[in-house]
Amino acid sequence: MFSDEVFFRYSLQSLFWLAIPTAVFLLFLSAPYGRHYRGRWGPALSPPLAWFLMESPTIWFTLILFSFGKNRFDLRAIALISPYILHYINRTIIYPIRLYLKTRGEDNKAKPGFPVSVAAMAFGFNLLNAYLQSRYVSEYADLDGDRFLWWRFIAGAAVFIVGAAVNISSDNTLMRLKEQGGGEYRIPRGGLFEWVSCPNYFGEIVEWLGWAFMTGSWAGFGFFVYTCANLVPRAKAHHKWYFEKFREDYPKHRRAVIPFVY
């Protein structure tokens, strides 16, 4: 008999399987948005609108599903889902608003768009992931039987907070540089930019590593694995782009995303 538990299990397996073609595809072809935008990918949205629409399931779908779980009134479950929600409030609402305010004075025809096809794929992934994370925390997490819950939560939350700080501060640096350059790209400097080309991606990877530890679940670990599959190849593409654009001016010692490693 088909049940939510069976659907959850197959959805979780799908998350892991999706990581493989995602990583392989992105190693050979950069997702066509931002600095890698290519117009031949069909109709495009403005980037702020695209970010808002494609990330939105992480808020509304997560909250809807959470309200049906057996743990929905448990303060431990609410505490556990909160970092996930807070991250996506920033990514879905605050970041697009800031992006819009920073770019509204630029020539719309000169600005790269965000392909509808890419936004639609991201929307689908966020539906899947919101289902998995929300249903695990609200329904399948054994909060009473997990004696290490709070220890794991505190340690994971510390990792999550460090990653979020790196992610947000790096985004701030990139936005400030773009504004100072009149919409043109410049070499970012300071903070972890001295060590890697994409500390914003590194910060997000660290965030979801902390989340995986907090939840102690295959759902959380699957999200971490998929985040790596998505962001590590994109960081490599960014790293290559920086070297090609700035050539001798770009710091040779920088790695792509993981300090001293890659």
Side-chain angles (χ1 to χ4, degrees):
M1 183 178 178
F2 197 75
S3 63
D4 180 73
E5 191 170 352
V6 172
F7 184 72
F8 181 87
R9 184 168 66 250
Y10 283 126
S11 297
L12 180 57
Q13 292 172 4
S14 298
L15 181 62
F16 281 96
W17 284 113
L18 279 172
I20 299 172
T22 297
V24 172
F25 177 83
L26 292 177
L27 281 172
F28 296 99
L29 184 64
S30 303
Y33 64 91
R35 70 197 68 192
H36 304 290
Y37 176 70
R38 298 180 295 280
R40 64 178 180 270
W41 278 67
L45 299 169
S46 71
L49 179 60
W51 278 104
F52 170 74
L53 292 176
M54 71 186 187
E55 300 288 315
S56 65
T58 58
I59 297 178
W60 59 262
F61 197 44
T62 297
L63 293 176
I64 289 172
L65 291 173
F66 192 87
S67 68
F68 287 97
K70 67 182 181 183
N71 299 326
R72 62 188 180 276
F73 297 121
D74 193 312
L75 292 178
R76 293 169 296 182
I78 294 171
L80 199 53
I81 201 66
S82 292
Y84 179 88
I85 294 290
L86 289 172
H87 171 90
Y88 280 110
I89 286 175
N90 176 62
R91 187 58 65 198
T92 306
I93 300 172
I94 298 173
Y95 177 76
I97 290 174
R98 295 184 63 208
L99 190 61
Y100 169 75
L101 293 175
K102 294 286 187 184
T103 60
R104 62 180 173 174
E106 299 176 14
D107 180 7
N108 287 330
K109 293 182 179 179
K111 288 191 294 187
F114 200 114
V116 172
S117 56
V118 176
M121 287 187 282
F123 183 87
F125 170 78
N126 283 321
L127 282 174
L128 170 66
N129 193 50
Y131 166 76
L132 286 169
Q133 308 309 320
S134 185
R135 284 300 285 167
Y136 174 76
V137 174
S138 68
E139 181 67 25
Y140 298 115
D142 182 13
L143 301 176
D144 291 323
D146 188 350
R147 58 177 179 161
F148 298 110
L149 174 66
W150 286 116
W151 292 107
R152 200 175 58 245
F153 177 83
I154 292 169
V159 174
F160 187 95
I161 290 169
V162 169
V166 171
N167 179 248
I168 293 171
S169 65
S170 302
D171 276 349
N172 290 342
T173 297
L174 292 173
M175 282 191 175
R176 186 167 58 250
L177 274 182
K178 198 82 179 291
E179 186 178 28
Q180 293 170 352
E184 295 296 322
Y185 287 99
R186 294 182 176 185
I187 298 175
R189 300 187 187 277
L192 279 179
F193 279 108
E194 296 302 320
W195 304 105
V196 293
S197 294
C198 302
N200 51 331
Y201 292 165
F202 174 68
E204 188 153 349
I205 289 169
V206 171
E207 279 186 80
W208 300 125
L209 174 62
W211 169 255
F213 197 73
M214 273 191 280
T215 63
S217 67
W218 285 109
F221 182 66
F223 186 21
F224 167 71
V225 169
Y226 188 87
T227 299
C228 293
N230 182 28
L231 295 186
V232 171
R234 187 160 180 83
K236 179 183 177 183
H238 276 19
H239 191 60
K240 179 181 177 183
W241 182 91
Y242 275 124
F243 271 107
E244 290 176 348
K245 182 173 179 61
F246 298 107
R247 300 183 182 276
E248 296 301 320
D249 293 330
Y250 198 70
K252 301 294 187 295
H253 67 275
R254 286 189 190 179
R255 301 296 185 184
V257 64
I258 303 174
F260 310 111
V261 178
Y262 182 80

